[in-house]
Amino acid sequence: MSKVLVVAEHLDGKLNPSTARTVSAAQALNPEAIDVVVLAADPAAVAAEAAQIAGVARVLAVANPANAHAVAQVLGPQIARLAAGYTHVFGPSTTYGKDLMPVVAALLGVNQVSDLMAVEGEYTFKRPIYAGNAIITVEAPAGQKVVATVRTASWSEAARGGNAAIEAVEVQATLPAHTRFVGLAAGASDRPDLQSARRVVSGGRGVGSEENFRLIYSLADKIGAAVGASRAAVDAGYCPNEMQVGQTGKIIAPELYIAVGISGAIQHLTGIKDAGTIVAINKDPEAPIFEVADIGLVGDLFTILPELEAAL
């Protein structure tokens, strides 16, 4: 029987919803047990949240001042040491997981399974390739530890209501001296996190300028949505790159996605294919975005957005 260790993602003492989605993927294995590991300077609050995820047997709380910041080279050796006794180690395919899990895989001497989107068997999985245009079946060597990142957009959050035991664990691992946390530069925002938001409004090249992007922010604030952008908008300097949605940006699965002035390049569509309802606003009736949109509105965004806000 398989036994899965899920690496919790958290920030500022709060558990990221990606962790519950990763637990859903672990549940698809029908394992003997699912444990969640929380690494932090003070993991108590996050561990308490993780213990409430249904299907989790234990939460391993690793307290260490070195874990105050998510540095992959610091967290990786600790996770690799904890991986003994587990058949699978899963982490979310978010920026956090994409940075951390390859380090874990390298330390364990195995190849990583990336963007796991379906479980076919204990060692057989499906993952997207070619910008999501094809799905490939990957079979890991039987008996070898599986390290994988989970495509969180493909999995719903595991239910709450669990009551897992929380165990304080001390890990004897040699931490590197060549990598250290120096500082974090991040823009402050009251809007929801882009990767976990239920609603997202994104702007594209058609918005025209950084100044015009205020229309996107205004609509997002009106409906309590996160703000995203196409690569064209980011490259043009309309907004920062952490807002980019798509193959080379963030893969998201909101309940509602509103694409404004976005033509719909395949790389962008890869990032939103799992969205619940896609709304497209574009003046070009032949824009590829309309082929995937549930609701399409052809017209000038500078006329439509103010009207839409007034109606709201």
Side-chain angles (χ1 to χ4, degrees):
M1 287 288 288
S2 56
K3 192 175 179 183
V4 188
L5 180 66
V6 171
V7 181
E9 177 176 1
H10 56 92
L11 182 65
D12 297 331
K14 294 182 179 179
L15 190 69
N16 191 294
S18 64
T19 304
R21 293 176 183 268
T22 305
V23 170
S24 286
Q27 290 172 339
L29 285 164
N30 294 315
E32 176 186 341
I34 299 173
D35 293 346
V36 174
V37 58
V38 178
L39 301 103
D42 180 5
V46 178
E49 274 194 83
Q52 296 174 20
I53 302 175
V56 174
R58 292 187 306 161
V59 176
L60 309 179
V62 182
N64 189 327
N67 297 338
H69 304 284
V71 179
Q73 286 69 25
V74 172
L75 303 184
Q78 298 174 72
I79 295 168
R81 181 61 64 93
L82 287 169
Y86 293 93
T87 58
H88 298 68
V89 183
F90 283 1
S93 189
T94 55
T95 304
Y96 171 85
K98 288 177 179 178
D99 183 40
L100 173 59
M101 299 309 288
V103 175
V104 176
L107 290 171
L108 293 174
V110 299
N111 293 318
Q112 176 182 287
V113 178
S114 301
D115 281 341
L116 187 155
M117 64 184 300
V119 174
E120 299 287 302
E122 193 171 358
Y123 294 97
T124 309
F125 314 96
K126 289 188 179 295
R127 63 175 300 269
I129 59 172
Y130 301 136
N133 285 308
I135 308 300
I136 190 173
T137 299
V138 178
E139 188 166 346
Q144 179 176 290
K145 205 176 297 293
V146 176
V147 176
T149 56
V150 173
R151 183 184 170 96
T152 53
S154 299
W155 301 88
S156 58
E157 289 184 37
R160 302 290 169 166
N163 188 26
I166 300 175
E167 295 182 15
V169 177
E170 195 170 316
V171 182
Q172 299 299 325
T174 303
L175 303 184
H178 65 277
T179 303
R180 65 191 185 280
F181 179 83
V182 174
L184 174 66
S189 175
D190 294 329
R191 298 186 183 91
D193 173 66
L194 180 58
Q195 284 194 292
S196 58
R198 297 185 183 279
R199 302 170 184 167
V200 174
V201 180
S202 281
R205 193 199 310 270
V207 176
S209 69
E210 182 180 4
E211 182 181 4
N212 289 342
F213 224 81
R214 60 182 170 76
L215 293 170
I216 305 298
Y217 293 126
S218 181
L219 176 59
D221 291 341
K222 192 80 171 181
I223 63 174
V227 178
S230 68
R231 177 169 180 169
V234 171
D235 287 350
Y238 301 168
C239 51
N241 62 4
E242 61 261 27
M243 290 168 53
Q244 185 177 322
V245 173
Q247 183 184 6
T248 54
K250 291 181 170 66
I251 308 296
I252 60 176
E255 294 174 3
L256 172 65
Y257 185 77
I258 302 177
V260 181
I262 295 175
S263 62
I266 186 62
Q267 290 85 353
H268 186 79
L269 299 184
T270 296
I272 62 169
K273 63 184 299 182
D274 293 304
T277 299
I278 299 175
V279 177
I281 300 173
N282 200 297
K283 66 180 181 181
D284 178 10
E286 302 299 321
I289 191 73
F290 288 123
E291 295 179 15
V292 300
D294 300 287
I295 301 170
L297 187 55
V298 178
D300 187 340
L301 68 90
F302 298 105
T303 301
I304 291 172
L305 291 193
E307 291 178 350
L308 184 56
E309 271 202 63
L312 288 168

